[in-house]
Amino acid sequence: ILAPEVVGDLPRAPVALRWLLGDLNVHTAIVGTTSIDHLEANVVAAEAGRLPEETQAEIKRRFEQVAGR
């Protein structure tokens, strides 16, 4: 779903969080973390905001295809 042709060289975990938070139907995301570094990285990802619309849409399309929707 988060293949390089979709997300480029962006790290997958921050992309996944940005995609989730960019979904207008999602109001809260519960993200587990094992260190302060992970927490800080999650905050940076969340503050980066929504992915570009074409990236957001392509990830959603691939997710729905895998989920059988």
Side-chain angles (χ1 to χ4, degrees):
I1 294 173
L2 300 178
E5 65 268 16
V6 178
V7 300
D9 61 352
L10 295 173
R12 290 181 179 159
V15 167
L17 183 56
R18 289 177 65 194
W19 173 73
L20 180 65
L21 294 173
D23 185 325
L24 300 176
N25 295 310
V26 174
H27 301 282
T28 304
I30 300 173
V31 180
T33 186
T34 57
S35 71
I36 294 296
D37 290 341
H38 290 158
L39 175 62
E40 290 171 347
N42 288 342
V43 170
V44 168
E47 288 177 340
R50 187 176 169 92
L51 294 166
E53 190 57 43
E54 62 277 0
T55 304
Q56 191 80 17
E58 179 61 16
I59 293 171
K60 180 179 181 179
R61 186 190 71 74
R62 287 173 178 235
F63 178 79
E64 288 176 347
Q65 183 179 27
V66 170
R69 295 183 186 173

